[in-house]
Amino acid sequence: MINPTVEALLVLQERDVRVTALSAELEDSPEQIAAVDAELAAKQAKFEEIKNRTRLIEADRKKIDLDVQSKQAAIARYRSQQQTTRKNEEFAALNHEIEHTEKEISALEDQELELMEAYDKGLATVALGQKELAQAQEKAKLKKAELEKRAAVVAADMAAAKEKQAEAEKAVPEEAASRYRRILKSKKDVAIVPIHSGACGGCHMKLTSQTVLSAKGAEALVACENCGRLVYWLE
Ligand SMILES: [Zn+2]
């Protein structure tokens, strides 16, 4: 036989567990939504970095291009100086400068070609990144909508669960209810547990035969001598 207070407490405990689980889920929800936002922001930042890197390649190429232009202008200057000089030595020195500058231009143009190739690759990476980012944005939007919908369902379930919890609480005599609440507060998980093979279902310590007998008799509430949880005899 089972004590009617125990029976009422078991119903209350079941509903308490449900309310606790729902509130844990509700508490998690904003964090999960924030995690989706953070993941997307990280992807966005990575994409911006790729875009910047590509932009820098083009900026470098433009700088080199300006350099080439100024060296070409220098060659033009040397040539016009050659036309006005009458000294062979000076003419030869200018020739030497022209050759040297032409070599520099050629090296710079090689660099420019490399940068152009790198820029093309960069543009392709940016285009791909843009596509992937758009997909990630869409995915994040759906995930957030799903999480928000779930949170609304949980909130509704919570309202119903709290009503049932209050109902169950009313069915428990006041003194037993406050004892149960005290134990639950200190144990966090459950306050009333079945006896399994003569041991407490909460802390698993062996109960005295007197405690087991009292629980079997089901005349009053019986507690585990070790953890203080209420114990009941499971037929
Ligand atoms: Zn115990």
Side-chain angles (χ1 to χ4, degrees):
M1 88 166 267
I2 194 158
N3 182 301
T5 302
V6 166
E7 214 160 11
L9 279 174
L10 288 174
V11 173
L12 176 60
Q13 176 161 277
E14 191 193 306
R15 293 180 183 179
D16 275 348
V17 166
R18 168 105 172 118
V19 167
T20 305
L22 287 172
S23 64
E25 206 177 335
L26 265 187
E27 265 173 41
D28 271 359
S29 179
E31 236 171 77
Q32 283 176 330
I33 290 174
V36 172
D37 280 336
E39 200 189 328
L40 186 61
K43 280 183 181 156
Q44 179 99 42
K46 207 172 153 196
F47 173 66
E48 291 302 329
E49 196 198 311
I50 292 171
K51 238 167 59 175
N52 269 335
R53 222 185 297 147
T54 306
R55 217 178 281 141
L56 285 178
I57 292 173
E58 179 61 356
D60 281 350
R61 190 196 63 76
K62 279 184 179 154
K63 249 185 256 163
I64 291 177
D65 201 46
L66 284 177
D67 212 1
V68 167
Q69 281 173 33
S70 81
K71 286 187 192 298
Q72 278 165 346
I75 289 177
R77 247 184 354 260
Y78 298 147
R79 293 225 156 98
S80 75
Q81 280 171 21
Q82 278 182 324
Q83 277 165 9
T84 57
T85 186
R86 295 197 179 141
K87 292 176 192 160
N88 278 341
E89 211 173 273
E90 204 179 313
F91 191 91
L94 285 165
N95 247 353
H96 180 75
E97 274 308 314
I98 289 169
E99 268 173 38
H100 176 70
T101 310
E102 274 171 347
K103 269 185 201 155
E104 281 181 336
I105 288 176
S106 161
L108 287 173
E109 280 172 346
D110 284 349
Q111 278 184 42
E112 248 194 295
L113 268 178
E114 271 173 36
L115 287 174
M116 277 162 91
E117 269 174 39
Y119 183 61
D120 281 346
K121 272 187 201 158
L123 285 183
T125 311
V126 168
L128 184 68
Q130 182 107 54
K131 219 168 118 189
E132 282 172 353
L133 186 63
Q135 282 169 350
Q137 278 164 340
E138 190 55 32
K139 229 173 118 183
K141 207 171 110 188
L142 290 175
K143 180 80 193 158
K144 272 173 77 173
E146 190 189 296
L147 286 171
E148 274 155 14
K149 201 171 142 195
R150 174 74 197 142
V153 170
V154 174
D157 284 355
M158 177 67 131
K162 277 199 162 161
E163 246 174 66
K164 287 184 123 190
Q165 182 189 41
E167 238 172 60
E169 182 128 25
K170 263 185 239 157
V172 179
E174 218 178 296
E175 201 186 320
S178 66
R179 187 171 174 193
Y180 162 86
R181 285 270 169 245
R182 259 198 322 277
I183 300 169
L184 190 62
K185 204 175 162 191
S186 83
K187 298 300 164 200
K188 314 283 185 225
D189 49 7
V190 281
I192 179 161
V193 292
I195 295 171
H196 288 308
S197 337
C200 165
C203 68
H204 309 296
M205 292 292 280
K206 200 96 187 142
L207 296 161
T208 63
S209 47
Q210 183 53 51
T211 301
V212 175
L213 270 179
S214 306
K216 260 187 188 173
E219 273 165 27
L221 292 179
V222 185
C224 164
E225 308 88 356
N226 180 57
C227 69
R229 286 185 185 89
L230 298 171
V231 291
Y232 64 94
W233 182 253
L234 195 61
E235 308 262 333

